[in-house]
Amino acid sequence: MTWNAGGMPLDATSVGQRVVVRYAVGGTGPSGGPAMSDVIGRVRAVDAAAVTLERRDGRTQVVALADVVTWKPVPDRPLRRRRAGDVDPADLTRITSRGWPAIESVALGDWELRTSGRFTGRANSVAVHGDPGLPFGDALDRVRAFYASHDSPALAQVVVGSSGERAFAGAGWIPMTGYHGGAVVLVADLDPAYDADPDARIAATADDDWLVNYGRVNDPVAARAVLEGPDTVGFVSIGTPAVAIGRVVVTGEWAGIACVEVSPEHRRQGLARRIVETSLAWAVEHGADKAYLQTMRSNHAALALYKPYGFADHHDYRYLEPGSTDSAQ
């Protein structure tokens, strides 16, 4: 059996090849055309009716040939200089800071004092990694003074279980009031063959429509300064007006995926997956071979969304604030 899509044969000689297949899933997509999905896997069988693919996570998927819109072979994943899971938590914290840069960032030895008009904890806390370059008590004094001078609460972002967390806790700092549990950083080695969704748009700036969907913005000027800060950043959206959004940033060989949001009335339609797939494709095109993302440990829907793409736990972090027994009080 030989079958063609876009002039390329799909037959018994394709068995063993790694391919991406786009196929119709029934119904109408957001743009008004047929709803479609993509699958990447290794061809295990082709007969008169269907192609059987083995996905990266070991699952098997059968796609009817009548539903296939197009397909193409994709290369095997290349050898890497360093795998995503091998990076040290301190190094990854530095990488994530570059992907979510504060409006003002001041070095305190290896620590980073960050402030951004209170837009997000990541951009308004001291990133604790490495050595502050002076005795710990003196470093705490510098942290308190910095945030007092910016009329902002002092917060420390610490890796759970790290020596930094233990040192701050020993000085009387406590988990941030009202913070919903801990956050987890997930990492993955990227595949070279993600397919960008044809209905998705990627812009270099966050327009008003994108910010409305993101939702957690009190100061648009501060938000845009942080979100648009990196040199290589894309704002992904589907629909006009947008019904699903995401943000992807590339710093060196690392990509950061963030801000994946779908409007409530359009959920459970695969839009979040399409945003993620498009973001990963864009990241690979811009030179990334590893990716990270940060989400709440309690956000089970997000964890389930990213798992098929190979994202796995790297480390947890939390925010600490001075408690009633803070050594300065």
Side-chain angles (χ1 to χ4, degrees), residues 250-261:
V250 173
T251 50
E253 61 194 36
W254 282 90
I257 307 299
C259 310
V260 177
E261 300 284 348

Side-chain angles (χ1 to χ4, degrees), residues 141 144 171-173 321-329:
D141 289 341
R144 297 186 197 95
W173 287 50
E321 62 185 1
S324 59
T325 59
D326 176 18
S327 57
Q329 299 183 23

Side-chain angles (χ1 to χ4, degrees), residues 235-289:
F235 296 88
V236 188
S237 60
I238 294 175
T240 305
V243 297
I245 64 161
R247 175 183 180 269
V248 54
V249 58
V250 173
T251 50
E253 61 194 36
W254 282 90
I257 307 299
C259 310
V260 177
E261 300 284 348
V262 178
S263 60
E265 62 272 24
H266 290 88
R267 290 174 183 168
R268 300 186 182 279
Q269 298 178 28
L271 291 172
R273 180 194 58 76
R274 291 165 59 190
I275 290 288
V276 172
E277 185 88 11
T278 298
S279 298
L280 295 175
W282 189 90
V284 170
E285 289 176 2
H286 287 78
D289 66 4

Side-chain angles (χ1 to χ4, degrees), residues 43-80:
V43 178
R44 292 308 181 198
V46 182
D47 60 24
V51 55
T52 301
L53 303 171
E54 183 181 31
R55 299 168 60 120
R56 182 170 56 191
D57 59 5
R59 291 181 296 163
T60 297
Q61 182 164 342
V62 178
V63 180
L65 293 181
D67 293 333
V68 175
V69 177
T70 189
W71 75 281
K72 64 181 179 182
V74 295
D76 286 317
R77 300 169 71 183
L79 295 175
R80 304 172 191 278

